[in-house]
Amino acid sequence: MPSLGSIRRSFAPWNDPAAKPYIAFENVSKKFGDFTAVDNLSLTIYEREFFALLGASGCGKSTLLRMLAGFEEPTAGRILLDGQDLCGIPPYRRPVNMMFQSYALFPHMTVEQNIAFGLKQDRMPKAGIAERVASMLKLVRLEQFARRKPHQLSGGQRQRVALARSLAKRPKVLLLDEPLGALDKKLREETQFELMDLQHELGLTFIVVTHDQEEAMTMADRIAVMDKGEVMQVATPAEIYEAPATRFVADFIGTVNLFEGKVAGREGQKGRLVGADGSSLRIDNLAGAENGVAAWFAVRPEKIGISAAKPADQSLNAINGEVWDIAYLGDMTIHHVRLDDGRIVRTSSINDRRAAAEQLTWHDRAWISFRPDAGIVLTR
């Protein structure tokens, strides 16, 4: 069965019981004095996968990457690459290369000299170096900039030089630590697609560390959401977004509205979520939440409608409130609706017409509504 929302549906080795992981972190911990950066973490990554480690600063994602590269050694556990234990193998003998956010280009060298540097260190023949550098320049579309120095390039061009230098040695695994952090928003979005196309063309395994949810959602086949040195969930972008395992994941990825209450009146998968104030929501997908259990119904803003009049469809959950804030973003409009109990609910509506038939403004009374199957029930 293909993964929910998978972009490359033909590529999902994690769903094949016979597939062997290419990279495996087995009960890995890393401590710096009394601080635990990575806590008994196990994780598998497959060959040719574009994998993202996503989390806030200090969650352990860069430490994990540095241990794989060989710049740090695990305090406990082991790391396997293609079945080989990497313990004790120095960075220069590992078939991986790491690209840093700073790019770390040599300012006194030209673009082609920067790309050739690692190949010269490996004593590759001059003819081979020239051929490899030329192919890398063509790959990243920088042929005409070969004789320029880094200060003569734009941020996006320097990023591509660093990428070409990382790929020149043909590593089996490319590690990218916040690779697009120095780029402006528009260039970052363009480069995300370039990296995806490049990874697919080369057939390499890419592992990217980022705190940018949109970046991870755009590029990765799978995402590991991390918090305090632990993996909270590993899944495809669509699964992470539509079926988060916990409130932390639901809240970290995108924006979510959490309606709290206790499960009541369960019959099959259907039932109600009753709030402390007696309010009740109909739910069609209770999963494992039994009667009396405290739970949260997580509903994304785009799944919630907003209108001046109460919806005629009686099957919808409908709640009245006051328009508290409005943000017009061009392609969509965001409304914050303050319910009578003080809770703020966020809705987002696509602006698919030049002028909306119904204009709600600040302090208007409004109805928010959503289907009983619009969200997911979380119990932790």
Side-chain angles (χ1 to χ4, degrees), residues 179-364:
L180 311 182
L183 306 182
D184 61 63
K185 180 176 173 59
K186 187 173 182 180
L187 184 57
R188 190 163 63 244
E189 291 173 351
E190 292 173 358
T191 309
Q192 287 169 8
F193 288 100
E194 288 181 359
L195 279 174
M196 290 166 60
D197 293 341
L198 193 60
Q199 187 265 345
H200 186 65
E201 179 182 342
L202 295 172
L204 298 179
T205 305
F206 277 24
I207 304 176
V208 62
V209 158
T210 181
H211 65 272
D212 187 318
Q213 304 151 30
E214 186 177 316
E215 189 169 291
M217 297 278 285
T218 299
M219 296 192 299
D221 295 306
R222 287 190 305 157
I223 300 170
V225 180
M226 294 186 63
D227 182 43
K228 298 177 182 176
E230 298 181 17
V231 171
M232 309 306 290
Q233 184 174 1
V234 181
T236 66
E239 288 166 341
I240 291 273
Y241 188 81
E242 298 289 353
T246 66
R247 283 178 291 151
F248 174 85
V249 175
D251 194 42
F252 190 82
I253 299 290
T255 306
V256 71
N257 299 289
L258 293 169
F259 298 92
E260 184 178 359
K262 288 189 175 182
V263 176
R266 174 169 182 150
E267 294 183 5
Q269 283 297 307
K270 297 185 178 183
R272 291 177 292 112
L273 191 68
V274 180
D277 61 352
S279 60
S280 178
L281 298 178
R282 286 186 293 276
I283 298 177
D284 282 356
N285 49 347
L286 283 167
E290 299 294 339
N291 284 330
V293 169
W296 292 261
F297 195 43
V299 188
R300 299 292 184 183
E302 69 275 11
K303 307 285 199 298
I304 300 179
I306 183 169
S307 58
K310 186 175 183 178
D313 187 346
Q314 297 295 312
S315 69
L316 297 177
N317 290 301
I319 311 172
N320 193 233
E322 178 184 353
V323 177
W324 204 249
D325 280 309
I326 304 173
Y328 175 77
L329 303 180
D331 59 340
M332 69 172 62
T333 298
I334 295 170
H335 290 89
H336 286 182
V337 179
R338 187 177 188 273
L339 306 184
D340 293 338
D341 62 5
R343 287 179 296 166
I344 301 292
V345 175
R346 175 178 169 131
T347 75
S348 62
S349 309
I350 298 295
N351 297 323
D352 56 359
R353 289 175 291 175
R354 285 185 58 85
E358 178 181 63
Q359 295 285 352
L360 288 166
T361 190
W362 279 266
H363 305 304
D364 282 353

Side-chain angles (χ1 to χ4, degrees), residues 75-98:
T75 306
R78 63 179 190 159
I79 302 171
L80 304 177
L81 173 59
D82 199 15
Q84 181 183 12
D85 190 339
L86 295 179
C87 181
I89 299 177
Y92 60 89
R93 291 196 179 278
R94 299 187 183 198
V96 304
N97 215 335
M98 191 161 180

Side-chain angles (χ1 to χ4, degrees), residues 95-235:
V96 304
N97 215 335
M98 191 161 180
M99 179 179 157
F100 300 95
Q101 180 179 350
S102 64
Y103 307 151
L105 300 178
F106 297 110
H108 62 287
M109 293 184 182
T110 64
V111 167
E112 59 185 2
Q113 287 171 339
N114 265 283
I115 296 173
F117 180 79
L119 303 177
K120 289 181 178 179
Q121 293 294 104
D122 289 347
R123 302 185 184 278
M124 179 183 279
K126 286 186 177 180
I129 291 175
E131 183 182 346
R132 185 75 59 83
V133 169
S135 68
M136 289 296 106
L137 287 168
K138 183 178 180 181
L139 186 68
V140 296
R141 305 193 310 278
L142 287 175
E143 299 103 311
Q144 59 184 319
F145 301 100
R147 300 299 174 86
R148 292 194 186 183
K149 292 185 177 178
H151 73 273
Q152 297 173 306
L153 304 175
S154 69
Q157 289 165 343
R158 287 196 295 272
Q159 191 265 356
R160 280 188 273 164
V161 175
L163 181 63
R165 186 179 62 183
S166 298
L167 292 170
K169 295 179 70 173
R170 295 185 177 170
K172 292 182 179 179
V173 181
L174 182 63
L175 311 177
L176 304 108
D177 192 0
E178 302 279 4
L180 311 182
L183 306 182
D184 61 63
K185 180 176 173 59
K186 187 173 182 180
L187 184 57
R188 190 163 63 244
E189 291 173 351
E190 292 173 358
T191 309
Q192 287 169 8
F193 288 100
E194 288 181 359
L195 279 174
M196 290 166 60
D197 293 341
L198 193 60
Q199 187 265 345
H200 186 65
E201 179 182 342
L202 295 172
L204 298 179
T205 305
F206 277 24
I207 304 176
V208 62
V209 158
T210 181
H211 65 272
D212 187 318
Q213 304 151 30
E214 186 177 316
E215 189 169 291
M217 297 278 285
T218 299
M219 296 192 299
D221 295 306
R222 287 190 305 157
I223 300 170
V225 180
M226 294 186 63
D227 182 43
K228 298 177 182 176
E230 298 181 17
V231 171
M232 309 306 290
Q233 184 174 1
V234 181

